[in-house]
Amino acid sequence: MERFTIIKEVGNGTFGSVWRALSKQSGEVVAIKKMKKKYYSWEECINLREVKSLRKMNHSNVVKLKEVIRENDVLYFVFEYMECNLYQLMKDRRKPFSEVEVRNWCFQVFQGLTYIHQRGYFHRDLKPENLLASKETIKIADFGLAREINSQPPFTEYVSTRWYRAPEVLLQSPVYGPPVDMWAMGAIMAELFTLRPLFPGSSEADEIYKICCVIGSPTKTEWSQGLELASAINYQYPQVSGVHLSTLMPGVSQDAVNLISSLCSWDPCKRPTAMEALQHPFFQSCFYIPPSLRPNKPALAKTPPVGPNLESKSGRKYPGRLSNPKPLNSFSTPVKSQASLSSGVQRKLELNNQHVANDKKQKSDAKQLPKYRPPGLNSLNKSPGNLGKSRGVADATEKLGNMTLGPGGKLLAKRSSMPPPMKAGGWHQQSDLFVGRSQEVLPARSYVRKVAG
Ligand SMILES: Nc1ncnc2c1ncn2[C@@H]1O[C@H](COP(=O)(O)OP(=O)(O)OP(=O)(O)O)[C@@H](O)[C@H]1O
């Protein structure tokens, strides 16, 4: 590592800390990710997902892995350096990004995703922190959880940050694929417009609840497999009708809202592929330059109005209207009071909380936490009209009923008498989908912010 001058820490994630550094030979600024875990052989390193997947990627919207170094059993990844991540851009922002900015960024990400998916991989942990920006260019980073599309299911280990996690993953589907990245992109795109996470769940159960509040509970026609997945784990969806997405993002074009809406479809098969997204009317003014015809510079979205020049494989049509034109219910107005409009600090705690939960999930969480009481048995089994009013009281009652005094007089969630989830194998058995809402009132742990700078 003496070939590099370390400048400063720019990020600290679950698996490693990231440093800005200077190559002494070339003078080039690079990002060095120092892995937390020790690696005692090269074989171990070579088999890492991040190495296996990133080594094969060469695209202007995918962050370039330049070198892998193992020194004194410590593993370092040397990446091209990017100035900041999208979360950092959002948190410093007072007014929403313009549609042109969102379009430019998303167009690039979808190009990167088209490439990744076509190469037979999917990312599985897309979130604003993993989209790195330098000037107008955006690149997908952090392939720590990337999966080969053809790798053998069931995929049982931890997948993706909760707020961007697709419903099929939340509902423990043993098989999923590239559409999980498309879901995440829908949530990210909405967040770029509003500067607030679209589905800021505080637990897996709350995540599904938040999704239902926005896009409405899934019906059999919408996602029959989703109903099967839920019943397999003894889960009952709250009966909520959702809101029209455009009410959550006033001033955003119908095309943008429509794209977000189709990306955030319950049924993974109904989400557009990355390539289909590139052809959406929202990107009508964007040029797509195939990688083979590209100079070394990244392809940015350009503004002259040129129609999409990609050939559609599936011929998917994008209607001018939302597919979910449901009437507003009591959740449409108090959106501001939902956690989705909570502060950046809240977000930090949530994200860090779940990273820690991820680390320790297999070991401790399930032993300490109660099983989830299906919302249908509690406050959520109400008519949508009453839901908003009664939820507060019902939740509070439910929370208190699920609390017990722990060491130091702290309120802790107590075990419920619900039967254990029916699915066997993998840590998902211990998923917090089965954790009562009471968990939400536990004092937030004061983790330091993951992303420095
Ligand atoms: N190439 C890079 N250039 C500049 N900053 C980077 C680069 N790669 C990562 N970072 C910064 O470091 C942070 C953490 O990086 P990364 O996501 O790779 O780590 P991780 O341990 O896998 O994190 P996570 O907890 O998200 O899985 C990023 O959010 C970003 O801010």
Side-chain angles (χ1 to χ4, degrees):
M1 292 306 295
E2 64 279 2
R3 288 194 285 119
F4 298 95
T5 309
I6 305 297
I7 303 170
K8 74 163 193 163
E9 191 180 26
V10 292
N12 199 333
T14 317
F15 303 105
S17 52
V18 180
W19 299 76
R20 181 146 73 107
L22 202 64
S23 159
K24 288 179 187 166
Q25 287 155 348
S26 64
E28 188 187 10
V29 180
V30 291
I32 299 183
K33 181 166 172 178
K34 180 184 176 197
M35 299 300 276
K36 290 180 180 164
K37 183 180 171 293
K38 292 237 168 180
Y39 290 86
Y40 299 101
S41 73
W42 258 115
E43 286 67 51
E44 249 187 293
C45 310
I46 297 300
N47 282 326
L48 271 179
R49 289 220 181 98
E50 195 154 11
V51 179
K52 284 211 287 194
S53 47
L54 260 179
R55 264 189 343 160
K56 297 178 191 160
M57 307 283 172
N58 185 14
H59 187 274
S60 45
N61 300 114
V62 176
V63 78
K64 186 90 201 108
L65 175 62
K66 291 168 162 290
E67 265 185 81
V68 182
I69 300 169
R70 191 176 70 96
E71 212 174 83
N72 302 324
D73 301 331
V74 179
L75 185 62
Y76 302 91
F77 293 128
V78 183
F79 291 105
E80 64 177 310
Y81 183 76
M82 301 293 288
E83 281 159 18
C84 59
N85 66 50
L86 270 197
Y87 171 63
Q88 290 165 326
L89 285 181
M90 284 195 280
K91 92 176 154 48
D92 296 336
R93 190 78 189 185
R94 289 286 154 264
K95 66 176 176 73
F97 294 109
S98 71
E99 204 143 323
V100 173
E101 287 169 294
V102 176
R103 180 181 293 119
N104 272 336
W105 285 331
C106 292
F107 190 72
Q108 293 178 62
V109 179
F110 285 126
Q111 286 186 82
L113 282 179
T114 301
Y115 175 86
I116 293 167
H117 294 167
Q118 282 177 345
R119 307 279 299 184
Y121 285 90
F122 56 110
H123 188 286
R124 296 208 300 177
D125 195 17
L126 282 182
K127 56 183 171 183
E129 287 87 338
N130 287 340
L131 297 177
L132 306 185
S134 270
K135 302 198 170 62
E136 280 178 73
T137 305
I138 196 145
K139 302 196 183 206
I140 303 168
D142 190 5
F143 280 66
L145 288 171
R147 261 272 177 195
E148 268 178 84
I149 290 169
N150 293 328
S151 59
Q152 280 302 305
F155 305 148
T156 43
E157 80 275 44
Y158 172 82
V159 171
S160 73
T161 305
R162 191 193 308 122
W163 295 351
Y164 309 94
R165 200 178 299 167
E168 63 270 30
V169 181
L170 288 164
L171 288 159
Q172 306 170 22
S173 169
V175 190
Y176 49 84
V180 302
D181 292 341
M182 303 312 289
W183 174 274
M185 273 311 292
I188 293 170
M189 210 177 138
E191 191 169 335
L192 285 170
F193 279 121
T194 61
L195 304 180
R196 302 287 175 191
L198 185 60
F199 308 121
S202 56
S203 63
E204 285 186 2
D206 189 50
E207 185 64 30
I208 300 190
Y209 177 74
K210 292 260 163 40
I211 295 171
C212 290
C213 289
V214 175
I215 65 172
S217 316
T219 60
K220 200 168 176 205
T221 7
E222 251 174 331
W223 192 31
S224 62
Q225 205 220 342
L227 302 192
E228 285 160 26
L229 286 172
S231 90
I233 56 170
N234 213 8
Y235 177 78
Q236 240 178 297
Y237 291 98
Q239 290 309 303
V240 191
S241 51
V243 296
H244 197 297
L245 267 184
S246 53
T247 60
L248 302 182
M249 34 193 111
V252 172
S253 75
Q254 192 57 44
D255 280 342
V257 171
N258 179 266
L259 176 56
I260 295 169
S261 167
S262 58
L263 290 166
C264 293
S265 300
W266 282 110
D267 187 343
C269 304
K270 292 180 183 154
R271 290 171 214 151
T273 64
M275 192 184 247
E276 285 165 350
L278 288 170
Q279 301 160 76
H280 190 277
F282 178 60
F283 295 121
Q284 205 169 21
S285 57
C286 299
F287 293 108
Y288 173 78
I289 306 166
S292 54
L293 299 180
R294 238 175 259 172
N296 275 340
K297 289 208 177 111
L300 297 179
K302 305 268 193 269
T303 14
V306 174
N309 58 359
L310 284 169
E311 276 176 32
S312 169
K313 273 195 193 141
S314 68
R316 183 188 292 270
K317 293 274 185 301
Y318 291 99
R321 289 163 158 261
L322 274 176
S323 57
N324 188 18
K326 292 180 178 153
L328 302 183
N329 68 3
S330 50
F331 282 92
S332 56
T333 17
V335 177
K336 278 204 163 82
S337 66
Q338 287 178 24
S340 65
L341 297 191
S342 60
S343 69
V345 176
Q346 178 66 21
R347 169 197 175 81
K348 165 194 138 190
L349 292 172
E350 291 290 351
L351 286 174
N352 284 309
N353 221 331
Q354 68 188 51
H355 278 299
V356 171
N358 168 27
D359 270 0
K360 300 190 179 148
K361 211 171 253 302
Q362 274 169 313
K363 293 172 214 141
S364 59
D365 277 10
K367 284 187 214 131
Q368 292 165 8
L369 296 170
K371 298 291 182 277
Y372 178 57
R373 300 176 67 200
L377 297 180
N378 300 307
S379 56
L380 301 176
N381 198 10
K382 296 181 166 61
S383 73
N386 291 334
L387 211 48
K389 275 175 259 158
S390 54
R391 184 169 131 73
V393 179
D395 268 6
T397 320
E398 185 191 340
K399 276 171 187 168
L400 286 171
N402 281 319
M403 302 312 282
T404 184
L405 270 185
K410 278 185 184 160
L411 273 178
L412 294 176
K414 72 180 180 195
R415 283 174 188 276
S416 102
S417 55
M418 284 299 290
M422 282 154 46
K423 216 158 189 316
W427 72 263
H428 275 308
Q429 204 175 357
Q430 302 150 0
S431 147
D432 71 2
L433 189 56
F434 300 100
V435 175
R437 289 233 157 107
S438 50
Q439 196 195 6
E440 291 166 35
V441 297
L442 289 174
R445 288 180 250 175
S446 54
Y447 301 115
V448 282
R449 191 175 155 60
K450 264 174 9 85
V451 182

